[in-house]
Amino acid sequence: MNKSIKKVFWRWFLFGQCGWNYEKMQGLGYLYSIYPFLKEKYKDPEELKQAAKVHSQFFNTNNTMAPAILGVDLALEEKKGLESKDAIVGVKTGLMGPLAGIGDTLFFVIPTTIIGSIASYMALQGNPAGLLLWVMFFFIRLLFMCYSIGKGYQEGLNLLGSLTNSLNKITRAANILGLTVIGALIPSVVKAKLGFEFHYGEISLKLQDVANQLMPGLVPLLVVLLTYWLLGLKRMNSTRVIFILMFIGVVGYNLNILS
């Protein structure tokens, strides 16, 4: 890795989760990590501001898998500059979801279960050697992150070298992949159901059952669309949207519209 890539890597490794918030998630940490490269690339202050805005957008993935995305991003920035800003957003959006699932499984669920169980058993037996398992896993994770940022950078260069004329297609494909992943997450992440029930004699009809027949996950989708529309309004920010959704939830629950 060259000097600037090393700076980006260590910034992410040490401070990638700093500045985490509900609006941008890891967006500020991502910008902080890549900023030395941007500062070296863009000498014009206005161009630097534009690049910083691109890289401060929403970003959220597994911490261990993020260097791979950073590597591809660095390659796009180095070869195309601000011309590739749409491709950069598309690649980040398209990769962060799938890599989050892979990283959470390989570097959180499995290690926590296996290494944690073995280390706990050793601790119960009075054997401190279980601590070494976590130290070994730390170095394995560190080496993987070092490898992934270099591999991502190299693959990004190869991608640009062979598909320079197809950059728009890559951007479109990455955007579609990102939207597909985000759309699939809506019914599992957003929990909203209709609670109203219609009763007539012995007949009972649940409004949620009707909604499920029309489209499973219809209510969560409507919540997301409402949120997206609210965020597009002037003088509206994420904090106000959260309070609006809380108000709708409380009122809807007490009126037996939502459950």
Side-chain angles (χ1 to χ4, degrees), residues 27-218:
L28 292 178
Y30 191 97
L31 173 61
Y32 176 77
S33 301
I34 203 172
Y35 188 76
F37 182 86
L38 298 179
K39 194 173 182 180
E40 183 178 325
K41 170 74 176 178
Y42 301 106
K43 303 302 182 181
D44 184 359
E46 290 301 320
E47 291 185 346
L48 181 60
K49 288 180 182 179
Q50 292 182 40
K53 288 181 179 179
V54 172
H55 293 287
S56 64
Q57 296 178 12
F58 178 90
F59 183 78
N60 188 37
T61 193
N62 179 270
N63 187 57
T64 307
M65 303 301 292
I69 301 176
L70 279 164
V72 176
D73 195 348
L74 290 172
L76 290 171
E77 280 286 359
E78 184 177 46
K79 292 298 180 181
K80 290 292 183 178
L82 291 175
E83 296 178 7
S84 64
K85 62 180 180 180
D86 292 334
I88 289 172
V89 173
V91 167
K92 288 170 63 177
T93 304
L95 292 179
M96 67 182 182
L99 290 185
I102 297 172
D104 288 345
T105 302
L106 294 180
F107 295 99
F108 180 75
V109 177
I110 293 177
T112 301
T113 303
I114 298 176
I115 299 177
S117 299
I118 297 174
S120 298
Y121 178 78
M122 288 182 172
L124 291 172
Q125 299 299 318
N127 187 352
L131 293 174
L132 296 178
L133 294 176
W134 290 110
V135 175
M136 291 174 57
F137 173 68
F138 169 82
F139 283 106
I140 291 173
R141 176 172 169 267
L142 176 61
L143 290 174
F144 176 82
M145 294 175 72
C146 288
Y147 170 80
S148 63
I149 191 171
K151 188 66 175 178
Y153 177 75
Q154 185 60 44
E155 290 302 317
L157 291 177
N158 293 338
L159 188 67
L160 287 172
S162 60
L163 298 174
T164 301
N165 296 327
S166 303
L167 193 59
N168 290 333
K169 294 181 181 179
I170 298 171
T171 303
R172 185 170 179 270
N175 284 329
I176 293 173
L177 177 61
L179 291 173
T180 302
V181 172
I182 294 173
L185 288 174
I186 289 175
S188 60
V189 175
V190 181
K191 303 298 182 182
K193 293 183 178 181
L194 297 173
F196 181 77
E197 294 185 24
F198 174 78
H199 296 279
Y200 184 78
E202 297 181 357
I203 299 176
S204 178
L205 179 63
K206 294 183 178 180
L207 193 58
Q208 182 60 46
D209 293 338
V210 177
N212 289 337
Q213 292 177 2
L214 294 174
M215 179 192 294
L218 176 62

